[in-house]
Amino acid sequence: MIREGKNVTDNTLTIGFIGLGNMGSGMTKNLQQAGFPLIVTDIRPEAATELIDNGARWADTAAEVAAGSDVVITMLPTPRHVDSVVNGPTGILAGIRDGGTWIDMSTSVPDVAAAARRDHAHRDLHVLDAPVSGMSVGAAAGRLQIFVGGDADDVARLRPVLEAMGDPERILHVGGHGAGYAVKLMLNQLWFSHLVATAEVLAVGVKAGVDLEVLRTSIIASPANSNFVENDVLSVLDHGDYDEGFAIALACKDLGLSIDLARTVGVPVELSAVVEQVYRRAKAQYGDLAGEMTPVKLYEDLAGVSLRRVATPEGAR
Ligand code: NAD
């Protein structure tokens, strides 16, 4: 199959970008490198220095960003931040022109975007939710996975913009408005659930006297295998790396939003609630900046075991 490279031909749109943090800084650099004119803002003006040096324009408010751009993108920590940037006299909705486009790429819930579409229905606004996976490394490399919710025509029209930030083969139109938020929250929830379940069984098995790698390879050979057991847990088992690139405080935020979403749609989620509590316990014990895999450490400390593989010669396992 012939794979087309990133589409950087439709770069005449001016992109407004709000939120130049761990993720937004890499995403804006890639938009700029793809040739899109940028107009940016952040509560930390210093975050825009390099972009401005390379030709981006600065705006003091979100309304000014929206007024000066064809497409406004938000990449903000929480729904509260998104709300504060979208609404009010200096917000996106105060500046965006009729028929304009806003893409929220934050990990969030649909409420703010739904209210914007409902309250401004007469203005023909185009709103997409497009949260991402891939960490700040993926943002810097322009290889994000992007889950897009919204109208198919908008997704097709904006694909060159998304492709400047993401892996073209992993930019998925997952459904109507809100579906992107939901997919992102559900995949995070499942990954965190895998992590807690895996930490629990490895700690118990090792405490019961089974060799860690024998236990792990037995699980891999069984119907209980998972990508987490096979791959992701190895950063802890091989390197003692609990992934500080994604702070546990943000992981707790995501888990809280996942439960909020379940509450909104009326589904009981006992398992998700327990996983969230384990994460909150790890956050309380090891601090907000501890890595997202720190719940594994919680079980290691509770059981009094160290979950580390002993290096063996290639092929000996
Ligand atoms: P961050 O805290 O590093 O960046 C957020 C940026 O928003 C900061 O620069 C902050 O100054 C700015 N900001 C906050 N309030 C603002 C306001 N009112 N006006 C203008 N700017 C404002 O967060 P991040 O790690 O870049 O994450 C952004 C979003 O992406 C979050 O929803 C997060 O859950 C999600 N996400 C993060 C990762 C990751 O690995 N960091 C991975 C996938 C998804």
Side-chain angles (χ1 to χ4, degrees):
M1 188 176 83
I2 296 171
R3 290 179 179 170
E4 289 183 0
K6 288 181 177 239
N7 181 352
V8 294
T9 53
D10 182 9
N11 55 7
T12 52
L13 299 171
T14 295
I15 310 294
F17 205 105
I18 305 170
L20 308 171
N22 287 328
M23 300 298 286
S25 56
M27 294 158 78
T28 43
K29 265 180 217 148
N30 285 311
L31 285 164
Q32 199 166 48
Q33 274 168 18
F36 290 102
L38 289 184
I39 174 166
V40 300
T41 197
D42 193 289
I43 48 172
R44 301 176 304 116
E46 68 276 15
T49 306
E50 201 180 322
L51 292 168
I52 291 168
D53 287 348
N54 291 320
R57 276 188 293 148
W58 172 263
D60 285 332
T61 66
E64 283 176 42
V65 170
S69 52
D70 299 301
V71 177
V72 191
I73 296 175
T74 42
M75 192 55 174
L76 296 158
T78 72
R80 181 175 59 78
H81 295 92
V82 176
D83 183 35
S84 73
V85 159
V86 167
N87 294 305
T90 59
I92 290 172
L93 291 170
I96 196 168
R97 63 169 174 265
D98 290 358
T101 297
W102 165 43
I103 310 174
D104 185 23
M105 303 190 75
S106 320
T107 302
S108 191
V109 284
D111 307 35
V112 178
R117 285 187 292 108
R118 185 192 61 228
D119 298 344
H120 296 259
H122 56 288
R123 298 179 61 192
D124 187 31
L125 297 180
H126 299 261
V127 180
L128 294 177
D129 44 295
V132 307
S133 273
M135 314 291 297
S136 51
V137 179
R143 304 295 295 172
L144 290 171
Q145 187 171 17
I146 307 178
F147 309 101
V148 196
D151 293 342
D153 289 351
D154 286 332
V155 179
R157 177 173 62 90
L158 296 161
R159 204 169 171 86
V161 177
L162 299 173
E163 288 192 356
M165 298 177 279
D167 176 349
E169 292 184 11
R170 298 193 305 153
I171 296 170
L172 304 176
H173 182 202
V174 294
H177 297 289
Y181 291 130
V183 169
K184 168 64 182 168
L185 290 176
M186 292 304 97
L187 81 85
N188 272 17
Q189 177 69 59
L190 186 57
W191 193 85
F192 294 136
S193 300
H194 276 291
L195 182 143
V196 170
T198 302
E200 214 169 80
V201 300
L202 293 184
V204 172
V206 168
K207 184 80 173 181
V210 183
D211 175 80
L212 173 62
E213 192 53 8
V214 170
L215 175 58
R216 183 174 157 275
T217 49
S218 301
I219 292 170
I220 289 172
S222 83
N225 188 27
S226 68
N227 178 59
F228 191 88
V229 172
E230 208 166 336
N231 298 305
D232 294 353
V233 77
L234 293 179
S235 75
V236 172
L237 271 45
D238 286 349
H239 309 294
D241 177 0
Y242 298 93
D243 192 10
E244 289 178 8
F246 189 68
I248 197 164
L250 274 182
C252 286
K253 180 266 299 189
D254 289 355
L255 286 162
L257 292 181
S258 162
I259 290 169
D260 287 349
L261 184 64
R263 188 181 297 114
T264 303
V265 296
V267 178
V269 285
E270 290 89 346
L271 180 61
S272 302
V274 170
V275 170
E276 190 213 9
Q277 290 296 320
V278 172
Y279 262 79
R280 285 175 55 185
R281 177 176 289 278
K283 174 174 165 294
Q285 191 148 329
Y286 304 107
D288 287 4
L289 298 179
E292 63 173 330
M293 297 180 77
T294 305
V296 180
K297 181 166 172 51
L298 188 67
Y299 282 96
E300 291 178 279
D301 290 348
L302 282 169
V305 298
S306 173
L307 297 177
R308 296 290 179 276
R309 290 203 303 185
V310 181
T312 54
E314 198 60 33
R317 267 183 204 114

